[in-house]
Coordinates of all heavy atoms in Angstrom, one line a residue:
S226 N 5.1 144.6 266.3 CA 6.4 144.9 265.9 C 6.5 146.4 265.6 O 5.5 147.0 265.3 CB 6.8 144.1 264.6 OG 6.0 144.5 263.6
F227 N 7.7 146.9 265.8 CA 8.0 148.3 265.6 C 8.9 148.6 264.5 O 9.8 147.8 264.2 CB 8.5 148.9 266.9 CG 7.6 148.8 268.1 CD1 7.7 147.8 269.0 CD2 6.5 149.7 268.2 CE1 6.8 147.7 270.1 CE2 5.6 149.6 269.3 CZ 5.8 148.6 270.2
D228 N 8.8 149.7 263.9 CA 9.7 150.1 262.7 C 10.8 151.0 263.2 O 11.7 151.2 262.4 CB 8.8 150.9 261.7 CG 7.7 150.1 261.1 OD1 8.0 148.9 260.9 OD2 6.6 150.6 260.9
S229 N 10.8 151.5 264.4 CA 11.9 152.3 264.9 C 12.3 152.0 266.3 O 11.7 151.1 266.9 CB 11.5 153.8 264.8 OG 10.5 154.1 265.8
N230 N 13.2 152.7 266.9 CA 13.6 152.6 268.3 C 13.1 153.8 269.1 O 13.8 154.1 270.1 CB 15.1 152.4 268.4 CG 15.6 151.1 267.7 OD1 14.9 150.1 267.8 ND2 16.7 151.2 267.1
T231 N 12.0 154.4 268.8 CA 11.6 155.6 269.5 C 10.4 155.3 270.4 O 9.6 154.4 270.2 CB 11.1 156.7 268.5 OG1 10.0 156.2 267.8 CG2 12.2 157.0 267.4
G232 N 10.4 156.1 271.5 CA 9.2 156.0 272.4 C 7.9 156.5 271.7 O 6.8 156.1 272.1
T233 N 8.1 157.4 270.8 CA 6.9 158.0 270.1 C 6.1 156.9 269.4 O 4.9 156.9 269.5 CB 7.3 159.0 269.0 OG1 8.1 160.0 269.7 CG2 6.2 159.6 268.4
E234 N 6.8 155.9 268.8 CA 6.1 154.9 268.1 C 5.3 154.0 269.1 O 4.2 153.5 268.9 CB 7.0 154.0 267.3 CG 6.3 153.0 266.5 CD 7.3 152.2 265.6 OE1 8.5 152.3 265.8 OE2 6.8 151.4 264.8
V235 N 6.0 153.8 270.3 CA 5.3 153.0 271.3 C 4.1 153.6 271.8 O 3.0 153.0 272.0 CB 6.3 152.7 272.5 CG1 5.6 152.0 273.7 CG2 7.5 151.9 272.0
V236 N 4.2 155.0 272.1 CA 3.0 155.7 272.5 C 1.9 155.7 271.5 O 0.7 155.4 271.9 CB 3.4 157.2 272.8 CG1 2.2 158.1 273.0 CG2 4.3 157.3 274.0
L237 N 2.2 155.9 270.3 CA 1.1 155.9 269.2 C 0.5 154.5 269.1 O -0.8 154.4 269.0 CB 1.7 156.4 267.9 CG 2.0 157.8 267.8 CD1 2.7 158.2 266.5 CD2 0.8 158.7 268.0
K238 N 1.3 153.5 269.1 CA 0.7 152.1 269.0 C -0.2 151.8 270.2 O -1.2 151.2 270.1 CB 1.7 151.1 268.7 CG 2.3 151.2 267.3 CD 3.1 150.0 266.9 CE 3.5 150.3 265.4 NZ 3.9 149.1 264.8
A239 N 0.3 152.2 271.4 CA -0.5 151.9 272.6 C -1.8 152.7 272.6 O -2.8 152.2 272.9 CB 0.4 152.3 273.8
W240 N -1.7 154.0 272.2 CA -2.9 154.8 272.1 C -3.9 154.2 271.1 O -5.1 154.2 271.3 CB -2.6 156.2 271.7 CG -3.7 157.2 272.0 CD1 -4.7 157.5 271.2 CD2 -3.9 157.9 273.2 NE1 -5.5 158.4 271.8 CE2 -5.0 158.7 273.0 CE3 -3.2 158.0 274.4 CZ2 -5.5 159.5 274.0 CZ3 -3.7 158.8 275.4 CH2 -4.8 159.6 275.2
H241 N -3.4 153.7 270.0 CA -4.2 153.1 269.0 C -4.9 151.9 269.5 O -6.1 151.6 269.2 CB -3.4 152.8 267.7 CG -4.2 152.1 266.6 ND1 -5.1 152.8 265.8 CD2 -4.3 150.9 266.2 CE1 -5.7 152.0 265.0 NE2 -5.2 150.8 265.2
K242 N -4.2 151.1 270.3 CA -4.8 149.8 270.8 C -5.7 150.1 272.0 O -6.8 149.5 272.1 CB -3.7 148.9 271.2 CG -4.2 147.5 271.7 CD -3.1 146.6 271.9 CE -3.6 145.2 272.3 NZ -2.7 144.2 272.3
W243 N -5.3 150.9 273.0 CA -6.1 151.1 274.2 C -6.7 152.4 274.4 O -7.5 152.6 275.4 CB -5.2 150.8 275.4 CG -4.7 149.4 275.5 CD1 -5.4 148.3 275.6 CD2 -3.3 149.0 275.4 NE1 -4.6 147.2 275.6 CE2 -3.3 147.6 275.5 CE3 -2.1 149.7 275.3 CZ2 -2.1 146.8 275.4 CZ3 -0.9 148.9 275.2 CH2 -0.9 147.5 275.3
G244 N -6.5 153.4 273.5 CA -7.1 154.7 273.7 C -6.5 155.4 274.9 O -5.4 155.1 275.3
P245 N -7.2 156.3 275.5 CA -6.7 157.0 276.7 C -6.3 156.1 277.9 O -5.5 156.5 278.7 CB -7.9 157.9 277.1 CG -8.7 158.0 275.9 CD -8.5 156.8 275.1
K246 N -6.8 154.8 277.9 CA -6.4 153.9 279.0 C -5.0 153.5 278.8 O -4.4 152.9 279.8 CB -7.4 152.7 279.0 CG -8.7 153.1 279.5 CD -9.6 151.9 279.6 CE -11.0 152.4 280.1 NZ -11.7 151.5 280.9
A247 N -4.3 153.8 277.7 CA -2.9 153.4 277.5 C -2.0 154.1 278.6 O -1.0 153.5 279.0 CB -2.5 153.8 276.1
I248 N -2.4 155.3 279.0 CA -1.5 156.0 280.0 C -1.4 155.2 281.3 O -0.4 155.4 282.0 CB -1.9 157.4 280.2 CG1 -3.3 157.5 280.8 CG2 -1.8 158.2 278.9 CD1 -3.7 158.9 281.2
D249 N -2.4 154.4 281.6 CA -2.3 153.6 282.8 C -1.2 152.6 282.8 O -0.7 152.1 283.8 CB -3.6 152.8 283.1 CG -4.8 153.7 283.3 OD1 -4.6 154.9 283.8 OD2 -5.9 153.3 283.1
R250 N -0.7 152.3 281.6 CA 0.4 151.3 281.4 C 1.8 152.0 281.3 O 2.8 151.3 281.3 CB 0.1 150.5 280.1 CG -1.2 149.7 280.2 CD -1.5 149.2 278.8 NE -2.7 148.4 278.9 CZ -2.7 147.1 278.9 NH1 -1.6 146.4 278.9 NH2 -3.9 146.4 279.0
F251 N 1.8 153.3 281.2 CA 3.1 154.0 281.0 C 3.8 154.2 282.3 O 3.1 154.5 283.3 CB 2.9 155.4 280.3 CG 2.3 155.3 278.9 CD1 1.8 156.4 278.3 CD2 2.4 154.1 278.2 CE1 1.3 156.3 277.0 CE2 1.9 154.0 276.9 CZ 1.3 155.2 276.3
V252 N 5.1 154.1 282.3 CA 5.9 154.3 283.5 C 7.0 155.3 283.1 O 7.5 155.2 282.0 CB 6.5 152.9 284.0 CG1 7.4 153.2 285.2 CG2 5.5 151.9 284.3
G253 N 7.3 156.2 284.1 CA 8.4 157.1 283.8 C 7.8 158.5 283.6 O 6.6 158.8 283.8
M254 N 8.7 159.4 283.1 CA 8.2 160.8 282.8 C 7.9 160.9 281.3 O 8.6 160.4 280.5 CB 9.3 161.8 283.2 CG 10.6 161.7 282.5 SD 11.6 163.1 283.1 CE 12.8 163.2 281.8
F255 N 6.8 161.6 281.1 CA 6.3 161.8 279.7 C 5.3 163.0 279.7 O 4.7 163.3 280.7 CB 5.7 160.5 279.2 CG 4.5 160.0 280.0 CD1 3.2 160.4 279.9 CD2 4.8 159.0 281.0 CE1 2.2 159.9 280.7 CE2 3.8 158.5 281.8 CZ 2.5 158.9 281.6
A256 N 5.2 163.5 278.6 CA 4.2 164.6 278.3 C 4.0 164.5 276.8 O 5.0 164.5 276.0 CB 4.7 165.9 278.7
F257 N 2.8 164.4 276.3 CA 2.6 164.4 274.9 C 1.1 164.8 274.6 O 0.3 164.9 275.5 CB 2.9 163.0 274.3 CG 2.0 161.9 274.9 CD1 0.8 161.5 274.4 CD2 2.5 161.2 276.0 CE1 0.0 160.5 274.9 CE2 1.7 160.1 276.5 CZ 0.5 159.8 276.0
A258 N 0.9 165.0 273.3 CA -0.5 165.3 272.9 C -0.9 164.3 271.8 O 0.0 163.9 271.0 CB -0.5 166.7 272.3
V259 N -2.1 164.0 271.7 CA -2.6 163.1 270.7 C -3.8 163.8 270.1 O -4.7 164.3 270.8 CB -3.1 161.7 271.3 CG1 -3.8 160.9 270.2 CG2 -2.0 161.0 271.9
Y260 N -3.8 163.9 268.7 CA -4.9 164.6 268.0 C -5.7 163.5 267.3 O -5.1 162.7 266.5 CB -4.3 165.6 267.0 CG -5.4 166.2 266.1 CD1 -6.4 167.0 266.7 CD2 -5.4 165.9 264.8 CE1 -7.4 167.5 265.9 CE2 -6.4 166.5 263.9 CZ -7.4 167.3 264.5 OH -8.4 167.8 263.7
D261 N -6.9 163.4 267.6 CA -7.8 162.4 266.9 C -8.5 163.1 265.7 O -9.3 164.0 265.9 CB -8.9 162.0 267.9 CG -9.8 160.9 267.3 OD1 -10.1 160.9 266.1 OD2 -10.3 160.1 268.1
T262 N -8.1 162.7 264.5 CA -8.6 163.4 263.3 C -10.1 163.1 263.1 O -10.8 163.9 262.5 CB -7.8 162.9 262.1 OG1 -7.9 161.5 262.0 CG2 -6.4 163.4 262.1
D263 N -10.6 162.0 263.6 CA -12.0 161.7 263.4 C -12.9 162.6 264.3 O -13.9 163.1 263.8 CB -12.3 160.2 263.8 CG -11.7 159.2 262.8 OD1 -11.5 159.6 261.7 OD2 -11.4 158.1 263.3
S264 N -12.5 162.8 265.5 CA -13.3 163.6 266.4 C -12.9 165.1 266.5 O -13.6 166.0 267.0 CB -13.3 163.1 267.8 OG -12.0 163.2 268.4
G265 N -11.7 165.4 266.0 CA -11.1 166.7 266.2 C -10.7 167.0 267.6 O -10.4 168.2 267.9
K266 N -10.5 166.0 268.4 CA -10.2 166.2 269.8 C -8.7 166.1 270.0 O -8.0 165.2 269.5 CB -10.9 165.1 270.6 CG -10.7 165.2 272.1 CD -11.5 164.1 272.8 CE -11.2 164.1 274.3 NZ -11.9 163.0 275.0
V267 N -8.2 167.0 270.9 CA -6.8 166.9 271.3 C -6.7 166.5 272.7 O -7.4 167.1 273.6 CB -6.0 168.3 271.1 CG1 -4.6 168.3 271.7 CG2 -6.1 168.8 269.7
T268 N -5.9 165.5 273.0 CA -5.8 165.1 274.4 C -4.3 165.3 274.8 O -3.4 164.9 274.2 CB -6.0 163.6 274.5 OG1 -7.4 163.3 274.1 CG2 -5.9 163.1 276.0
L269 N -4.1 166.1 275.9 CA -2.8 166.4 276.5 C -2.6 165.4 277.7 O -3.5 165.3 278.5 CB -2.7 167.8 277.0 CG -2.8 168.9 275.9 CD1 -2.7 170.3 276.5 CD2 -1.7 168.7 274.9
V270 N -1.5 164.8 277.8 CA -1.2 163.9 278.8 C 0.2 164.1 279.4 O 1.1 164.5 278.7 CB -1.2 162.4 278.2 CG1 -0.8 161.4 279.3 CG2 -2.5 162.1 277.5
R271 N 0.3 164.0 280.7 CA 1.7 164.0 281.3 C 1.7 163.0 282.4 O 0.7 162.6 282.9 CB 2.0 165.4 281.8 CG 1.4 165.8 283.1 CD 2.0 167.2 283.5 NE 1.8 167.4 284.9 CZ 2.2 168.4 285.6 NH1 2.7 169.4 284.9 NH2 2.0 168.5 286.8
D272 N 2.9 162.7 282.9 CA 3.1 161.7 283.9 C 2.4 162.1 285.2 O 2.2 163.2 285.5 CB 4.6 161.4 284.1 CG 5.4 162.6 284.6 OD1 5.8 163.4 283.7 OD2 5.5 162.8 285.8
R273 N 2.1 161.1 286.0 CA 1.3 161.3 287.2 C 2.0 162.2 288.2 O 1.3 162.9 288.9 CB 1.0 159.9 287.8 CG 0.0 159.1 287.0 CD 0.1 157.6 287.5 NE -0.1 156.6 286.6 CZ 0.5 156.4 285.5 NH1 1.5 157.1 285.1 NH2 0.2 155.3 284.7
V274 N 3.3 162.1 288.3 CA 4.1 162.9 289.2 C 4.3 164.3 288.7 O 4.5 165.2 289.5 CB 5.4 162.2 289.6 CG1 6.2 163.0 290.6 CG2 5.2 160.8 290.1
G275 N 4.2 164.5 287.5 CA 4.4 165.8 286.9 C 5.8 166.2 286.7 O 6.2 167.4 286.7
V276 N 6.7 165.2 286.5 CA 8.1 165.4 286.3 C 8.3 166.2 284.9 O 9.0 167.1 284.9 CB 8.9 164.1 286.3 CG1 10.4 164.4 286.0 CG2 8.8 163.5 287.7
K277 N 7.7 165.7 283.9 CA 7.8 166.3 282.6 C 6.8 167.4 282.5 O 5.6 167.3 282.7 CB 7.5 165.2 281.5 CG 7.8 165.6 280.1 CD 9.3 165.6 280.0 CE 9.7 165.8 278.5 NZ 11.1 165.8 278.3
P278 N 7.3 168.7 282.3 CA 6.4 169.8 282.3 C 5.5 169.8 281.0 O 5.9 169.4 280.0 CB 7.3 171.0 282.3 CG 8.6 170.5 281.8 CD 8.7 169.0 282.1
L279 N 4.3 170.4 281.2 CA 3.4 170.6 280.1 C 2.6 171.9 280.4 O 1.8 171.9 281.4 CB 2.5 169.4 280.0 CG 1.4 169.5 278.8 CD1 2.1 169.5 277.5 CD2 0.5 168.3 278.9
Y280 N 2.8 172.9 279.6 CA 2.2 174.2 279.8 C 1.2 174.4 278.7 O 1.4 173.9 277.6 CB 3.2 175.3 279.9 CG 4.3 175.1 280.9 CD1 5.5 174.6 280.6 CD2 4.0 175.5 282.2 CE1 6.5 174.4 281.6 CE2 5.0 175.3 283.2 CZ 6.2 174.8 282.9 OH 7.2 174.6 283.8
Y281 N 0.1 175.1 279.0 CA -0.8 175.4 277.9 C -1.4 176.8 278.1 O -1.3 177.4 279.2 CB -1.9 174.4 277.9 CG -2.8 174.3 279.1 CD1 -3.9 175.1 279.2 CD2 -2.5 173.5 280.2 CE1 -4.7 175.1 280.4 CE2 -3.3 173.5 281.3 CZ -4.4 174.3 281.4 OH -5.2 174.2 282.5
H282 N -1.9 177.3 277.0 CA -2.5 178.7 277.0 C -3.7 178.6 276.1 O -3.7 178.1 275.0 CB -1.5 179.7 276.5 CG -2.1 181.1 276.4 ND1 -2.3 181.9 277.5 CD2 -2.5 181.8 275.3 CE1 -2.8 183.0 277.1 NE2 -3.0 183.0 275.8
F283 N -4.8 179.2 276.6 CA -6.0 179.3 275.7 C -6.5 180.8 275.8 O -6.7 181.3 276.9 CB -7.1 178.4 276.2 CG -8.4 178.4 275.4 CD1 -8.4 178.1 274.1 CD2 -9.6 178.9 276.0 CE1 -9.6 178.1 273.4 CE2 -10.7 178.9 275.3 CZ -10.7 178.6 273.9
D284 N -6.6 181.4 274.7 CA -7.0 182.8 274.7 C -8.5 183.0 274.3 O -8.9 184.1 273.9 CB -6.1 183.7 273.8 CG -6.2 183.3 272.3 OD1 -7.0 182.5 272.0 OD2 -5.3 183.8 271.6
G285 N -9.3 182.0 274.3 CA -10.7 182.1 273.9 C -10.9 181.6 272.5 O -12.0 181.3 272.1
G286 N -9.9 181.7 271.7 CA -10.0 181.3 270.3 C -9.0 180.3 269.8 O -9.2 179.5 268.9
R287 N -7.8 180.4 270.4 CA -6.7 179.5 270.1 C -6.1 178.9 271.3 O -6.1 179.4 272.4 CB -5.6 180.4 269.4 CG -6.1 180.8 268.0 CD -5.0 181.7 267.4 NE -5.0 182.9 268.1 CZ -4.2 183.9 267.8 NH1 -3.5 183.9 266.7 NH2 -4.2 185.0 268.5
F288 N -5.6 177.7 271.0 CA -5.0 176.9 272.1 C -3.6 176.5 271.7 O -3.3 176.1 270.6 CB -5.9 175.6 272.3 CG -5.4 174.7 273.3 CD1 -5.5 175.0 274.7 CD2 -4.7 173.5 273.0 CE1 -5.1 174.1 275.7 CE2 -4.3 172.6 274.0 CZ -4.4 173.0 275.3
A289 N -2.7 176.7 272.7 CA -1.3 176.3 272.4 C -0.7 175.5 273.6 O -1.2 175.7 274.7 CB -0.4 177.5 272.2
F290 N 0.2 174.7 273.4 CA 0.9 173.9 274.5 C 2.3 173.7 274.1 O 2.7 173.7 273.0 CB 0.2 172.6 274.7 CG 0.2 171.7 273.6 CD1 1.2 170.7 273.4 CD2 -0.9 171.7 272.6 CE1 1.2 169.9 272.3 CE2 -0.9 170.9 271.5 CZ 0.1 170.0 271.4
A291 N 3.1 173.6 275.2 CA 4.6 173.4 275.0 C 5.2 172.8 276.3 O 4.5 172.8 277.4 CB 5.2 174.7 274.7
S292 N 6.4 172.3 276.2 CA 7.1 171.8 277.4 C 7.9 172.9 278.1 O 8.5 172.6 279.1 CB 8.0 170.6 277.0 OG 8.9 171.1 276.0
E293 N 7.9 174.1 277.5 CA 8.7 175.2 278.1 C 7.8 176.4 278.0 O 7.2 176.7 277.0 CB 10.0 175.4 277.4 CG 11.0 174.3 277.5 CD 12.3 174.6 276.8 OE1 12.4 175.7 276.2 OE2 13.1 173.7 276.8
V294 N 7.8 177.2 279.1 CA 7.0 178.4 279.1 C 7.5 179.4 278.1 O 6.7 180.1 277.4 CB 7.1 179.1 280.5 CG1 6.4 180.5 280.5 CG2 6.4 178.2 281.6
R295 N 8.8 179.5 277.8 CA 9.3 180.4 276.9 C 8.8 180.2 275.5 O 8.6 181.1 274.7 CB 10.8 180.5 276.9 CG 11.5 179.2 276.4 CD 13.0 179.4 276.5 NE 13.6 178.1 276.3 CZ 14.8 177.8 276.2 NH1 15.7 178.8 276.3 NH2 15.3 176.6 276.1
A296 N 8.4 179.0 275.1 CA 7.8 178.7 273.8 C 6.5 179.3 273.7 O 6.1 179.9 272.7 CB 7.7 177.2 273.6
L297 N 5.7 179.3 274.8 CA 4.4 179.9 274.8 C 4.5 181.4 274.8 O 3.7 182.1 274.1 CB 3.6 179.5 276.0 CG 3.1 178.0 276.0 CD1 2.3 177.8 277.3 CD2 2.2 177.7 274.8
K298 N 5.5 182.0 275.5 CA 5.7 183.4 275.4 C 6.1 183.9 274.0 O 5.6 184.9 273.6 CB 6.8 183.8 276.4 CG 6.3 183.7 277.9 CD 7.3 184.2 278.8 CE 6.8 184.1 280.3 NZ 7.7 184.6 281.2
A299 N 6.9 183.1 273.3 CA 7.3 183.4 272.0 C 6.0 183.4 271.1 O 5.9 184.2 270.2 CB 8.3 182.4 271.5
W300 N 5.2 182.4 271.3 CA 3.9 182.3 270.5 C 3.0 183.5 270.7 O 2.5 184.0 269.8 CB 3.2 181.0 270.9 CG 1.9 180.7 270.3 CD1 1.7 180.3 269.0 CD2 0.6 180.9 270.9 NE1 0.3 180.2 268.8 CE2 -0.4 180.6 269.9 CE3 0.2 181.4 272.1 CZ2 -1.7 180.7 270.1 CZ3 -1.2 181.4 272.4 CH2 -2.1 181.1 271.4
E301 N 2.9 183.9 272.0 CA 2.1 185.1 272.3 C 2.6 186.3 271.6 O 1.9 187.2 271.2 CB 2.0 185.3 273.8 CG 1.1 184.3 274.5 CD 1.1 184.6 276.0 OE1 2.2 184.8 276.6 OE2 0.0 184.5 276.6
K302 N 3.9 186.5 271.5 CA 4.5 187.6 270.8 C 4.2 187.7 269.4 O 4.1 188.8 268.8 CB 6.1 187.6 271.0 CG 6.5 188.0 272.4 CD 8.0 187.9 272.5 CE 8.5 188.2 273.9 NZ 10.0 188.1 274.0
D303 N 4.0 186.5 268.8 CA 3.7 186.5 267.3 C 2.2 186.8 267.0 O 1.8 186.8 265.9 CB 4.0 185.1 266.8 CG 5.5 184.9 266.7 OD1 6.3 185.8 266.7 OD2 5.9 183.7 266.7
L304 N 1.4 187.0 268.0 CA 0.0 187.2 267.8 C -0.3 188.6 267.3 O 0.3 189.6 267.5 CB -0.8 187.0 269.1 CG -0.8 185.6 269.7 CD1 -1.5 185.6 271.0 CD2 -1.3 184.6 268.7

């Protein structure tokens, strides 16, 4: 059962149940990140066709990601 009508809740519950294999069950366009507090691991996921954009930047010490390049450019300006 779900508490809301959002896709976010579906993604989180699927990830909790199946882990990374949950993405094999997703259909449509999507891009999201999951942070595992136990392992400290961040997993970035996007749809197989790449319809939903997902950009990232790693400068050797920090990692950032966004659905728009301009968000990353704004982040770089704040460094």
Side-chain angles (χ1 to χ4, degrees):
S226 68
F227 297 101
D228 297 322
S229 71
N230 293 323
T231 66
T233 303
E234 186 177 10
V235 173
V236 168
L237 288 174
K238 288 195 177 198
W240 196 271
H241 179 73
K242 183 171 183 171
W243 296 298
K246 292 185 180 210
I248 62 171
D249 295 336
R250 297 168 177 262
F251 296 162
V252 177
M254 66 177 198
F255 54 87
F257 61 89
V259 176
Y260 175 64
D261 184 329
T262 55
D263 293 333
S264 68
K266 181 180 177 181
V267 175
T268 303
L269 297 178
V270 180
R271 79 174 202 181
D272 60 272
R273 291 164 212 57
V274 180
V276 174
K277 192 72 169 178
L279 181 62
Y280 302 99
Y281 63 90
H282 176 78
F283 180 64
D284 66 7
R287 291 178 291 186
F288 180 74
F290 59 92
S292 60
E293 297 182 0
V294 172
R295 68 180 165 173
L297 291 179
K298 288 183 178 182
W300 176 76
E301 285 179 316
K302 287 181 185 177
D303 290 337
L304 298 178

